[in-house]
Amino acid sequence: MFIFKRLFIMLSAVGMLLTACSGQGTVAPVEVTITLTEFGIEPSLTEFKTGVPYHFVVTNEGAVEHEIMIMPPLTEDDMGMAMDMEELDELALVMIEASDLPVGGTASFDYTFTEAAPAGALEFACHTPGHYEAGMKLPITVSP
Ligand SMILES: [Cu+2]
């Protein structure tokens, strides 16, 4: 019995190693829900890890269209310059446009962070005009 147990533990360990090495496809993504309102972003998670696949499900519970981006925070200067949407889009790691998040709508996306992001480096944000300034931003962190 004892030997069987050891063998089982060894096989389990090998199995885990194989799973860890085989990469994507075998790792179930971590689901993250994000609720959008006027004017707030309420995610189920704000601390992420690199290399972990996340499945984000975003619901617009507000009364107007919203969008969601994962991107660096804008500085006062950026806001003063009134960056156009194209510039914003280029900064975003991920985005779901307002047209995909109508009132009551749900949209989802998958994302795996490849680089760590200390506090202050990234945030969830809605850049529908006026919403960011109204508070639709929430800092997140990504650790290795
Ligand atoms: Cu918004």
Side-chain angles (χ1 to χ4, degrees), residues 127-141:
H127 284 289
T128 301
H131 291 198
Y132 188 78
E133 292 79 357
M136 288 198 77
K137 54 186 161 178
L138 192 80
I140 62 171
T141 59

Side-chain angles (χ1 to χ4, degrees), residues 36-41 60 64-68 98 125-132 136:
L36 305 177
T37 59
E38 287 85 44
F39 289 96
I41 300 175
N60 180 2
V64 297
E65 279 187 345
H66 290 291
E67 61 181 22
I68 184 88
C126 172
H127 284 289
T128 301
H131 291 198
Y132 188 78
M136 288 198 77

